[in-house]
Amino acid sequence: MSALMQEMGDRALQLGVPFSVQLDLTYRCNEQCVHCYLDHEDHGEMTTVEIKRLLKEMADAGVFILTLSGGEIFMRKDFFEILECARALTFCIKLKTNAVLIREAQAARLRDLAVESIQVSIYSHRPEVHDAITKVPGSLQRSISAIRFLKSQGLKVIIANVLMTENMRDYQGVRALAAELGTECTLDPTVTPMMDGDRSTVDLNAGESALRALFRDETLVGNADEFCAIPPPPSEDSMESLPCSAGHTACYVSPYGEFYPCVQFPLSCGNVRQQRFIDIWRNSEQLKEVRSIRLRDLSSCSQCAHGSTCTRCPGLAFMEGNMRGPSTADCERSFARTGIPSANLLAKKQSASVPRLVQIQLVPAITGSRLSGVGASQVM
């Protein structure tokens, strides 16, 4: 982030202004990625008129950065009508797309409308891996061709690479592809639960050994010894720190008008179909609770050795049942980085071992049967 953008964000925080909003235009998609956290059905998306009204309300509230995402944004036939309205309101616009539906005419309009950046997900440089994740044969080649064309039109493209069990070995190949195409490349080793609470996608998260290797790759982290060093104890300042920008300077609105602190934080704070955007931002009791969270208030995390350096996500913690509790995914990353288990991981390991002991002692007494073995061990 540039110094100017950082300064603008800091000023927005001081003034209580929603600096950045992600608006998902649709959950429909022409790909069916194995790790996606969305339901791809249309349950009654906002109309063009509703979205235009929302854009005006967001502009009046002071929103500067507007990210249009999905699903696949180009599945909406009114996409360019929405985009033109957003540009007329002078938002700084970022797009997230798989780019498969972008042709010459669409690229030219994106250029003419001065879109700030276009993020395209590439999961592997190998078609057999990328296409298996998207479940669409030929999708890698179509996305790469679109990226080349967008670049030829002078547009800024960012490749986003979500790392999971299926593609963990391929991130260097994706980075090399990004360099060849002349784009930035971001890596994210987090697969999130589905918006409806289904946690089956979490099983795709990379394992401990893969994360450990990732955090020791000096082409990514610089000096691995420094990056993986034992963190210092939480300072007084860090105890008062905000966990992230969610609900403070940023928020998320779904295709159905639901207002959330973040796309990874599915705590409904209101609906823009029923209330003005600014009224939800200022008056939502749920947002007020989110804004009250400080490291000091988190009984587990405030006592953890990783308290001052952990990337703990309150949204992921919320999806585990408590926004003021730990996020296991972040605990696992901290452990892979430093080799020091968090109190949360130790507690989970201890609780996982208790039921087996109880089962061994009680099942024969209750059923009169003999136990021939114990279930498969759980990897922490």
Side-chain angles (χ1 to χ4, degrees), residues 226-288:
E226 291 182 5
F227 183 76
C228 297
I230 297 174
S235 65
E236 193 65 26
D237 286 344
S238 67
M239 283 292 187
E240 294 300 324
S241 63
L242 303 177
C244 66
S245 62
H248 295 276
T249 59
C251 64
Y252 164 68
V253 180
S254 83
Y256 313 118
E258 288 296 323
F259 187 120
Y260 301 106
C262 171
V263 70
Q264 288 192 159
F265 200 157
L267 170 68
S268 181
C269 302
N271 191 295
V272 297
R273 283 173 153 167
Q274 300 159 3
Q275 300 167 268
R276 292 192 309 157
F277 177 89
I278 192 62
D279 291 337
I280 300 174
W281 179 261
R282 289 176 177 170
N283 303 320
S284 165
E285 292 301 319
Q286 292 85 356
L287 276 182
K288 290 178 182 177

Side-chain angles (χ1 to χ4, degrees), residues 170-191:
D170 291 358
Y171 71 87
Q172 290 290 17
V174 174
R175 295 181 73 207
L177 174 63
E180 176 195 335
L181 295 171
T183 73
E184 296 180 25
C185 183
T186 65
L187 305 179
D188 184 2
T190 306
V191 177

Side-chain angles (χ1 to χ4, degrees), residues 319-347:
M319 296 183 82
E320 286 191 46
N322 181 7
M323 73 172 76
R324 296 177 182 274
S327 158
T328 298
D330 291 303
C331 293
E332 290 171 345
R333 281 195 291 272
S334 292
F335 177 53
R337 184 166 58 86
T338 66
I340 301 174
S342 67
N344 176 44
L345 288 186
L346 290 173

Side-chain angles (χ1 to χ4, degrees), residues 120-127 130 139-141 143-145 147-148 151 157 159-161 170-185:
V120 181
S121 292
I122 299 292
Y123 302 110
S124 173
H125 61 297
R126 296 185 292 157
H130 177 95
S139 57
L140 174 62
Q141 189 53 55
S143 289
I144 290 176
S145 296
I147 291 172
R148 291 188 193 278
K151 287 291 295 179
V157 180
I159 285 179
N161 184 11
D170 291 358
Y171 71 87
Q172 290 290 17
V174 174
R175 295 181 73 207
L177 174 63
E180 176 195 335
L181 295 171
T183 73
E184 296 180 25
C185 183

